[in-house]
Amino acid sequence: MTMTPMKAPPLVSLQNPKDVSIDQIEAELSQIWESYRESGSKGDFPIATRATTFTFVVYEPEETQQLLADLGFYEGPVDGITGPMTASSIRAAQKAYGLPRTGKANAELLATLREEVARKNSNGDTKLGGPGLGSGGSGVADAIVAANPCRIIALCPTAGEDRGVQAQVAAYCPVHKRNSGNLICCEYITLRGTEAALERVSGIVTALMIPDLPTLLWWKANPDADRGLFQRLATTSSSVIVDSSSFTESEAELLLMQSLIEEGIPIADLNWRRLAAWQELAAEAFDAPERRAAIREIDRVTIDYEKGNSTQALMYLGWLASRLQWRPVAFKQEEGDYQIKRIKFAGPDERVVEAELAAIPTADWGDVPGDLIALRLNSTNEKADCGTVLCSEAGGCMRMETKGGAQTDRFNQVTPLFDQVTEQLLGQHLQSWGRDVLYEESLAVTAQILKLVKQ
């Protein structure tokens, strides 16, 4: 069943992005709320109250928002959370520079924006930071703000000379038509500087987290346990959010996630949530009483995924093995068109189980690198009624159908959900961010598989 993305209420600006000294951040924010408390008490405006729910720290190395702001296309805080305002700004820039209007950043757009910023800076035409924002909304995904008002601290590393850290503050409130009372508002703190400069002020970042409330860290880069800033923020956070679909070294970084969990750092992977429909359909295939025993007969697994990122396929296999108590015993990588990974397991009765993960080259890449395309569960026992094939709506089951058994396999289609996009997944996690034991158990088996590579 598909889900329609939640329509967000409009946002009203209490304070446009304002440059402040780093030691005056708290004072500036307090002044915003004090002034609106006074206006509200006189009946001029609804009383605006800062949210006291949690602190949301976003590490944002991607520079699209900042470049758009520098050139006047984007208005609002550079918070690193892509939403409707950012997409609209991207389309405006693409139109201005004669590029295809997709609303998505790509290498061609970034190169154009960098060249234009460099040109204008050399002419002294551009004031960094971008213009202010009226009541139209902010750069944060509107649905996230509306459902999860909080304090957002955006850390934006920059290249070039270390000139310290620049700070901005801003405040926005979602306006719900049904509620004419007080506004519960988000406050934004943006810190911009080189990696070294941000690391120097990491103590200030932790001091800006709201005391005695949860802190959630969204690390939008390859995680690095040796990076001082990541280590400090991760160890002080209630949840560290990553998206393994963006990992450039998939296998090494999945192993890192497992090591962080073993250190007691709570990890949440948005890419894991994208597997829910595949997990549910596989479980439903064996719900019928006559098929429940057949699940123990499965000893052949084939998983096809979009070439480029293997994290979904590996995590899904880890989930399946953890549920069926398979112990990984051998791993083999075959190069070629499909870069096939062959994993051998020992079942509870020492029965041999073999899995094949195939990276399928596709011309039509989706928004999420490495999405699952198709899955097949089968058995060498020809009498076992366990043949099951799941296919994505976009990818189809062509390779599965040519592998034999199509007459006896049960086919099912995994319908893509609107709530699989990053912003929707993030919003769900912010509302329910406790430990995911199933993810941790599955990742532990995935790590066991990957450790076999080194043997």
Side-chain angles (χ1 to χ4, degrees):
M1 183 180 75
T2 56
M3 295 179 63
T4 303
M6 179 175 60
K7 186 177 181 180
L11 301 178
V12 62
S13 168
L14 295 189
Q15 172 63 61
N16 295 331
K18 178 182 180 182
D19 294 331
V20 299
S21 61
I22 197 166
D23 59 345
Q24 290 296 310
I25 290 174
E26 286 286 9
E28 289 286 346
L29 288 171
S30 296
Q31 180 59 38
I32 294 171
W33 306 117
E34 184 61 33
S35 63
Y36 275 86
R37 188 179 301 112
E38 293 176 0
S39 299
S41 64
K42 298 175 184 178
D44 297 338
F45 302 100
I47 297 176
T49 305
R50 63 168 59 173
T52 53
T53 50
F54 59 90
T55 303
F56 188 31
V57 181
V58 183
Y59 179 84
E60 175 52 86
E62 212 282 315
E63 58 187 317
T64 303
Q65 279 185 337
Q66 182 59 58
L67 292 170
L68 290 167
D70 293 346
L71 294 169
F73 292 104
Y74 172 73
E75 300 179 337
V78 179
D79 50 36
I81 310 172
T82 302
M85 287 291 292
T86 304
S88 176
S89 301
I90 289 173
R91 281 192 290 270
Q94 288 169 332
K95 179 181 179 181
Y97 299 122
L99 303 174
R101 282 183 275 176
T102 63
K104 297 179 181 179
N106 55 31
E108 184 181 18
L109 173 67
L110 286 173
T112 301
L113 295 177
R114 291 189 192 109
E115 291 174 4
E116 194 66 15
V117 167
R119 185 186 68 78
K120 291 199 172 187
N121 285 345
S122 65
N123 295 335
D125 294 340
T126 303
K127 180 182 182 299
L128 296 182
L133 175 67
S135 58
S138 75
V140 71
D142 296 352
I144 296 176
V145 176
N148 309 279
C150 59
R151 169 177 285 192
I152 295 176
I153 304 175
L155 308 176
C156 304
T158 59
E161 184 181 350
D162 186 345
R163 298 182 178 178
V165 174
Q166 297 175 306
Q168 281 186 337
V169 296
Y172 295 90
C173 312
V175 180
H176 296 274
K177 294 181 179 180
R178 296 180 181 179
N179 184 7
S180 58
N182 297 353
L183 300 176
I184 307 299
C185 309
C186 275
E187 51 189 11
Y188 300 79
I189 302 166
T190 302
L191 302 177
R192 190 175 298 109
T194 63
E195 184 75 29
L198 291 174
E199 189 166 333
R200 284 200 306 272
V201 301
S202 60
I204 295 175
V205 175
T206 54
L208 290 170
M209 299 172 183
I210 304 174
D212 303 320
L213 290 174
T215 294
L216 280 66
L217 169 65
W218 188 16
W219 191 266
K220 296 181 67 179
N222 292 336
D224 185 351
D226 296 327
R227 189 181 301 181
L229 181 61
F230 174 80
Q231 192 67 28
R232 178 158 192 165
L233 294 176
T235 54
T236 57
S237 297
S238 309
S239 179
V240 178
I241 306 165
V242 298
D243 188 342
S244 61
S245 72
S246 66
F247 288 176
T248 55
E249 299 180 11
S250 306
E251 296 170 17
E253 285 156 353
L254 283 178
L255 283 171
L256 174 59
M257 294 301 97
Q258 175 60 21
S259 67
L260 293 174
I261 290 173
E262 291 173 354
E263 293 173 15
I265 295 174
I267 300 295
D269 186 350
L270 299 180
N271 207 27
W272 163 259
R273 289 176 173 253
R274 296 187 180 102
L275 297 175
W278 292 86
Q279 293 165 335
E280 290 167 5
L281 277 180
E284 287 174 9
F286 295 92
D287 274 349
E290 65 273 15
R291 287 200 102 201
R292 288 175 188 169
I295 196 170
R296 297 296 172 187
E297 296 290 335
I298 296 171
D299 59 15
R300 294 295 182 270
V301 179
T302 305
I303 299 175
D304 290 354
Y305 63 96
E306 290 185 1
K307 188 175 183 178
N309 186 298
S310 60
T311 54
Q312 281 194 21
L314 286 164
M315 287 192 296
Y316 191 91
L317 184 59
W319 167 77
L320 193 64
S322 71
R323 296 305 92 195
L324 297 178
Q325 300 178 312
W326 297 342
R327 174 171 49 87
V329 295
F331 183 106
K332 181 180 179 182
Q333 175 85 33
E334 298 178 5
E335 296 304 325
D337 291 342
Y338 293 152
Q339 296 181 347
I340 291 176
K341 304 178 193 295
R342 298 192 187 278
I343 301 96
K344 187 176 291 185
F345 298 89
D349 54 359
E350 295 305 311
R351 184 180 183 185
V352 175
V353 179
E354 296 182 355
E356 173 189 298
L357 308 186
I360 308 299
T362 58
D364 185 18
W365 295 99
D367 291 338
V368 179
D371 261 344
L372 294 192
I373 297 174
L375 159 74
R376 185 178 184 185
L377 308 175
N378 215 326
S379 175
T380 52
N381 179 1
E382 296 180 358
K383 296 181 180 180
D385 181 19
C386 63
T388 301
V389 177
L390 305 180
C391 307
S392 69
E393 189 175 75
C397 279
M398 290 181 60
R399 211 173 76 90
M400 296 297 170
E401 291 169 346
T402 62
K403 292 176 74 68
Q407 300 300 318
T408 56
D409 287 342
R410 303 190 184 194
F411 283 72
N412 213 331
Q413 191 173 76
V414 180
T415 304
L417 304 181
F418 287 116
D419 63 351
Q420 299 299 289
V421 298
T422 301
E423 289 73 32
Q424 293 287 338
L425 294 170
L426 180 61
Q428 293 168 16
H429 181 71
L430 294 182
Q431 294 182 49
S432 178
W433 50 265
R435 282 183 58 201
D436 187 337
V437 176
L438 183 59
Y439 164 69
E440 293 181 2
E441 291 177 353
S442 303
L443 186 62
V445 178
T446 300
Q448 291 171 15
I449 295 170
L450 294 174
K451 288 175 182 176
L452 292 171
V453 179
K454 301 179 181 179
Q455 296 181 5

